[in-house]
C-alpha cells in the first residue's frame, strides 16, 4: 500500500475551510494551478470527486465532508505541536516539578515565589527531594528540571552549568577553633557533622584527607542542610558546606566560616532537563527566571 501524502491532507483541509481553490492557494502561498493539480491527485488517490462547482465557489461531496471530520482535529493537534502557542506567564496554568536539595530551596525559593506572584500567578512549583539521582528522575519523567549538582551522562539529558559553590568550614562563633586560622591537624581532630543526602558517611572532604593520609571523625550525620545550624550553634561540631547555603547564617552572626585546610573542588550547580522538553517555552521561561534570580543574588566566591 502506498504511503499517504500528508501534504495533500493539509491542502485539502485549507480548501475545506475556505470553500475556494483560489482562496486556499492564497492562504497556502501556492499558485492556483498547483492547488488544482493537488486536487487532481487527491481525486485519484481517494477515488472521489471531492468538490463540485456550486455557484461561484465549490461544494464538498459527502465523502469529502466525512473525510474532513476525520482529519481536521488530528491536523490541529499536529499543527499545534509543530508551532506551539507562545507562552504567556501572566495567564499560564502550569505545574513544574524541580529536583533540588533543601539548601538550594533556602536560596532560591523565596525570590522565585515573589517573581511568580508578580509575573505568573497561575504557576505552581513543587520541590522534589534530591539525592543526586537527577538523571533517573528526568529519564523517568518524574521531574521537569534538576537545579543542583548533576552528574548524569545520558545523551537524552541536556545540562547547563550555572555557577560554582565554594566549600567553607562552618562552626559556632565561640567555637575553640574559631579563634585562629584552621590547621589541618585541628580540622582532622575535630568532631564533624556531615550532611549526607544518600546516607553514606563519606564525601569530598574524606577523599581530600585520604590523599594526605589523614582522616576525620564524622560524629553525626543529617540528611538535610536546614538541620545543621541548630546543631552547630549549640555543640562543638564543625561541618563543611557550600558557602551560599550558609551565607545568611553568617550575616546574622549565627555561625562563622573558616577556610578549609584541604583543597576541595567547588560544587558545580547545573540545570538539567530531558531533551523531550527542549522546545517547551514554559520551561524556557522557568530556566530564564532562575538565571535572573542568580544574577540578582550575585553569588560570587568569597576570599578567606
Amino acid at each position: 500500500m502506498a504511503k499517504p501524502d500528508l501534504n495533500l491532507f493539509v491542502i485539502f483541509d485549507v480548501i475545506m475551510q475556505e470553500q475556494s481553490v483560489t482562496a486556499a492557494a492564497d492562504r497556502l502561498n501556492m499558485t492556483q494551478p498547483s492547488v488544482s493539480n493537488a486536487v487532481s491527485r487527491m481525486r485519484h488517490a481517494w477515488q472521489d470527486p471531492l468538490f463540485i462547482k456550486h455557484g461561484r465557489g465549490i461544494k464538498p461531496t459527502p465523502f469529502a465532508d466525512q473525510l474532513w471530520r476525520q482529519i481536521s482535529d488530528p491536523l490541529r493537534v499536529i499543527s499545534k505541536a509543530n508551532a506551539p502557542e507562545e507562552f504567556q506567564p501572566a495567564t499560564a496554568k502550569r505545574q513544574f516539578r524541580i529536583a533540588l536539595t533543601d539548601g538550594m530551596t533556602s536560596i532560591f525559593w523565596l525570590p522565585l515565589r515573589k517573581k511568580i506572584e508578580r509575573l505568573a500567578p497561575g504557576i505552581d512549583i513543587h520541590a522534589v527531594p534530591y539525592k543526586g539521582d537527577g538523571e533517573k528522575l528526568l529519564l523517568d519523567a518524574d521531574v521537569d528540571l534538576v537545579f543542583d549538582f548533576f552528574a548524569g551522562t545520558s545523551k537524552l539529558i541536556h545540562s547547563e552549568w550555572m555557577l560554582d559553590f565554594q566549600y567553607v568550614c562552618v562552626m559556632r562563633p565561640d567555637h575553640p577553633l574559631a579563634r585562629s586560622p584552621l590547621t589541618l591537624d585541628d580540622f582532622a581532630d575535630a568532631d564533624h557533622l556531615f550532611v549526607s543526602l544518600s546516607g553514606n558517611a563519606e564525601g569530598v572532604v574524606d577523599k581530600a584527607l585520604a590523599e594526605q593520609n589523614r582522616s576525620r571523625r564524622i560524629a553525626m550525620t543529617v540528611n538535610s542542610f536546614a538541620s545543621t545550624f541548630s546543631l552547630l550553634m549549640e555543640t562543638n561540631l564543625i561541618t563543611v558546606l557550600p558557602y551560599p547555603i550558609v551565607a545568611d547564617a553568617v550575616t546574622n552572626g549565627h555561625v562563622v566560616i573558616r577556610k578549609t585546610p584541604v583543597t576541595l573542588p567547588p560544587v558545580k550547580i547545573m540545570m538539567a532537563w530531558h531533551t523531550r522538553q527542549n522546545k517547551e517555552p514554559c520551561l524556557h521561561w522557568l530556566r530564564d527566571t532562575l538565571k535572573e534570580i542568580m544574577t540578582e543574588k550575585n553569588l560570587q566566591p568569597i576570599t578567606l
Side-chain angles (χ1 to χ4, degrees):
M1 180 180 294
K3 293 182 179 179
D5 187 340
L6 296 182
N7 287 326
L8 292 182
F9 287 105
V10 173
I11 296 171
F12 171 75
D13 178 54
V14 176
I15 294 173
M16 289 294 292
Q17 293 180 53
E18 300 292 343
Q19 296 291 294
S20 166
V21 171
T22 301
D26 290 340
R27 181 170 160 185
L28 291 164
N29 291 319
M30 297 173 63
T31 65
Q32 184 172 339
S34 295
V35 175
S36 296
N37 180 263
V39 172
S40 297
R41 290 163 54 205
M42 294 176 204
R43 287 169 172 163
H44 175 75
W46 303 334
Q47 295 295 297
D48 188 87
L50 297 176
F51 308 105
I52 57 175
K53 290 184 178 181
H54 183 71
R56 294 184 178 181
I58 56 175
K59 181 180 179 180
T61 66
F63 174 85
D65 276 329
Q66 181 182 4
L67 178 62
W68 195 43
R69 286 194 294 271
Q70 292 175 326
I71 71 167
S72 59
D73 286 343
L75 283 175
R76 299 291 87 73
V77 173
I78 293 171
S79 177
K80 186 175 181 180
N82 187 53
E85 296 179 1
E86 183 179 353
F87 178 69
Q88 298 292 343
T91 57
K93 303 290 184 182
R94 173 67 195 268
Q95 178 191 109
F96 290 106
R97 290 171 58 83
I98 306 176
L100 73 175
T101 60
D102 68 312
M104 289 292 285
T105 62
S106 69
I107 300 170
F108 289 97
W109 244 224
L110 177 57
L112 178 59
R113 179 57 194 173
K114 287 182 176 180
K115 284 186 179 292
I116 286 175
E117 288 185 352
R118 180 166 54 88
L119 302 173
I123 297 294
D124 298 330
I125 303 291
H126 292 184
V128 175
Y130 186 53
K131 299 179 180 180
D133 53 347
E135 184 169 271
K136 185 177 187 303
L137 291 172
L138 290 168
L139 290 173
D140 292 346
D142 288 330
V143 298
D144 300 291
L145 188 71
V146 172
F147 185 39
D148 214 295
F149 64 93
F150 180 79
T153 59
S154 172
K155 294 182 180 179
L156 296 175
I157 306 301
H158 185 87
S159 61
E160 182 179 356
W161 173 84
M162 293 292 104
L163 71 165
D164 288 343
F165 279 3
Q166 169 189 7
Y167 279 114
V168 293
C169 186
V170 191
M171 62 194 76
R172 73 173 196 266
D174 59 345
H175 194 287
L177 296 182
R179 300 168 186 165
S180 58
L182 189 62
T183 67
L184 179 59
D185 286 339
D186 288 339
F187 180 77
D189 292 341
D191 291 342
H192 285 251
L193 174 67
F194 180 48
V195 180
S196 175
L197 302 178
S198 65
N200 297 325
E202 183 178 353
V204 294
V205 173
D206 303 284
K207 293 178 182 178
L209 286 170
E211 291 175 357
Q212 301 190 43
N213 296 317
R214 305 295 294 266
S215 62
R216 63 173 176 166
R217 177 193 176 194
I218 297 178
M220 183 171 284
T221 68
V222 290
N223 57 7
S224 72
F225 292 96
S227 57
T228 62
F229 298 109
S230 59
L231 285 166
L232 292 174
M233 288 188 292
E234 299 189 41
T235 70
N236 283 328
L237 291 167
I238 68 171
T239 192
V240 174
L241 294 175
Y243 172 70
I245 292 175
V246 304
D248 286 345
V250 172
T251 300
N252 294 332
H254 296 154
V255 295
V256 296
I257 58 174
R258 295 291 181 266
K259 182 178 180 179
T260 60
V262 290
T263 301
L264 302 173
V267 183
K268 293 190 177 298
I269 300 300
M270 313 285 287
M271 281 190 196
W273 60 95
H274 199 286
T275 54
R276 73 170 80 89
Q277 293 179 279
N278 261 344
K279 294 185 178 181
E280 287 191 11
C282 49
L283 191 60
H284 277 280
W285 175 85
L286 176 61
R287 298 201 311 266
D288 288 344
T289 300
L290 289 169
K291 290 177 185 178
E292 187 177 283
I293 293 171
M294 282 190 295
T295 300
E296 293 169 354
K297 293 187 76 68
N298 192 28
L299 300 172
Q300 298 297 322
I302 61 168
T303 302
L304 293 175

